[in-house]
Amino acid sequence: MNIFSSLLSSPTQQPQVKKQRRGIEIKSEREIEIMRQAAKIVATVLKEISQMVQPGMTTADLDAYAEKRIRSMGATPSFKGYHGFTGSICSSINNEVVHGIPSKKKVIRAGDVLKVDTGAYYQGFHGDSCITIPVVEVTPESAKLIRVAEEALYKGIEQVRAGAYLLDLAGAIEDHVKSNGFSIVEEFTGHGVGRNLHEEPSVFNFRTREMPNVKLRAGMTLAIEPILNAGSKYTRTLADKWTAVTVDNAMSAQFEHTVLVTETGYEILTDRSKV
């Protein structure tokens, strides 16, 4: 889940978490194992949703399914109630960039570019991941946007290891996106994840000197999540105060994984191929 950077250090409203921890946390082996379980729940739900989506369903249908499945596996939805958010998933369609609120009125149609982002809170820790689903057959441009968004995520992940820097993965993401003619949304970034849904550091997807270029250490857990637009990189927020859309009505795509930094590389905790 993306969130405005101003919320990163503000108190979470989840009842399970009493306060927001400051600074970058290095997880212990015990904590990492719990996060593996939380992330596996998220990966399972997203894989199942990707297989069940069809035209005529509503985003509320997907939300109800996600909440039921998360709870059936002994976890609670990370997003529900977070700063007042009403859903267990963020469901953003076409020009909706992030934070789309599930609704019975929002019907999924053939050709839609559907982003589904969800998190699970399990034994004190969160997992977080997002996928973009092409509903039936999308336009060639939309198909390319989705493909490049997923490729960009893995380009960034491939740079992760102890001793690397955030700019290493940000540069790899930016280069791949721009070489394919798309723009990177800069208003939303990835983040640390663990005891709280959003922790330090901010994990940016573009070269910048405006955010700390953190050196990665083994035991860090990061939510890496590039967001690509087919047109302008700029967004605006709708009257619901959550849903961000492209300013030019262009399509948007996003992928996200919760990733563990190791001494020699990385482990993708929300890997859907392993569930």
Side-chain angles (χ1 to χ4, degrees), residues 176-230:
H176 188 68
V177 173
K178 292 189 173 179
S179 69
N180 280 278
F182 298 119
S183 62
I184 301 169
V185 174
E186 299 179 4
E187 296 167 72
F188 305 97
T189 70
H191 50 88
V193 59
R195 294 183 186 274
N196 293 277
L197 182 57
H198 294 90
E199 299 180 346
E200 297 292 349
S202 295
V203 182
F204 42 94
N205 303 302
F206 53 95
R207 292 180 178 88
T208 179
R209 295 182 179 179
E210 296 181 4
M211 287 184 276
N213 184 24
V214 173
K215 185 177 182 178
L216 303 184
R217 296 169 57 193
M220 287 183 180
T221 44
L222 309 174
I224 303 172
E225 47 184 321
I227 310 171
L228 281 59
N229 290 347

Side-chain angles (χ1 to χ4, degrees), residues 90-257:
C90 292
S91 49
S92 309
I93 298 177
N94 297 334
N95 69 318
E96 295 174 345
V97 178
V98 290
H99 303 159
I101 302 173
S103 171
K104 293 180 180 179
K105 297 180 180 179
K106 192 164 289 184
V107 179
I108 299 166
R109 305 183 188 283
D112 280 346
V113 174
L114 171 65
K115 283 79 70 181
V116 179
D117 191 351
T118 196
Y121 184 75
Y122 178 78
Q123 295 185 10
F125 289 87
H126 296 271
D128 187 9
S129 187
C130 178
I131 58 175
T132 298
I133 304 167
V135 182
V136 190
E137 186 173 356
V138 298
T139 67
E141 183 183 48
S142 291
K144 180 182 177 182
L145 177 70
I146 295 169
R147 173 179 59 80
V148 173
E150 186 168 23
E151 290 172 350
L153 170 61
Y154 286 102
K155 292 287 186 181
I157 291 174
E158 287 167 3
Q159 303 302 312
V160 173
R161 60 174 176 78
Y165 288 85
L166 287 179
L167 271 176
D168 296 333
L169 66 93
I173 291 170
E174 180 178 32
D175 288 346
H176 188 68
V177 173
K178 292 189 173 179
S179 69
N180 280 278
F182 298 119
S183 62
I184 301 169
V185 174
E186 299 179 4
E187 296 167 72
F188 305 97
T189 70
H191 50 88
V193 59
R195 294 183 186 274
N196 293 277
L197 182 57
H198 294 90
E199 299 180 346
E200 297 292 349
S202 295
V203 182
F204 42 94
N205 303 302
F206 53 95
R207 292 180 178 88
T208 179
R209 295 182 179 179
E210 296 181 4
M211 287 184 276
N213 184 24
V214 173
K215 185 177 182 178
L216 303 184
R217 296 169 57 193
M220 287 183 180
T221 44
L222 309 174
I224 303 172
E225 47 184 321
I227 310 171
L228 281 59
N229 290 347
S232 169
K233 67 181 181 180
Y234 295 105
T235 73
R236 63 182 179 87
T237 303
L238 299 183
D240 64 18
K241 297 183 180 180
W242 279 103
T243 309
V245 299
T246 56
V247 295
D248 55 4
N249 206 39
M251 292 287 185
S252 185
Q254 175 195 4
F255 283 89
E256 173 188 18
H257 272 310

Side-chain angles (χ1 to χ4, degrees), residues 12-118:
T12 178
Q13 294 183 9
Q14 276 203 231
Q16 300 94 335
V17 182
K18 294 182 179 179
K19 66 179 181 178
Q20 173 80 28
R21 296 188 169 209
R22 301 299 180 97
I24 299 172
E25 289 194 5
I26 304 299
K27 277 68 176 183
S28 67
E29 285 300 322
R30 181 191 70 84
E31 293 169 338
I32 290 168
E33 184 54 39
I34 295 172
M35 286 198 66
R36 286 192 180 102
Q37 297 305 310
K40 183 178 180 180
I41 292 168
V42 173
T44 299
V45 172
L46 287 179
K47 184 174 183 177
E48 291 175 358
I49 285 177
S50 71
Q51 295 169 341
M52 67 182 281
V53 168
Q54 57 184 334
M57 299 180 73
T58 69
T59 55
D61 294 331
L62 301 182
D63 184 66
Y65 180 85
E67 179 171 3
K68 182 178 180 180
R69 284 295 282 135
I70 289 169
R71 294 189 186 279
S72 75
M73 289 183 276
T76 57
S78 297
F79 296 1
K80 194 161 189 176
Y82 188 82
H83 294 280
F85 192 76
T86 57
S88 295
I89 64 170
C90 292
S91 49
S92 309
I93 298 177
N94 297 334
N95 69 318
E96 295 174 345
V97 178
V98 290
H99 303 159
I101 302 173
S103 171
K104 293 180 180 179
K105 297 180 180 179
K106 192 164 289 184
V107 179
I108 299 166
R109 305 183 188 283
D112 280 346
V113 174
L114 171 65
K115 283 79 70 181
V116 179
D117 191 351
T118 196

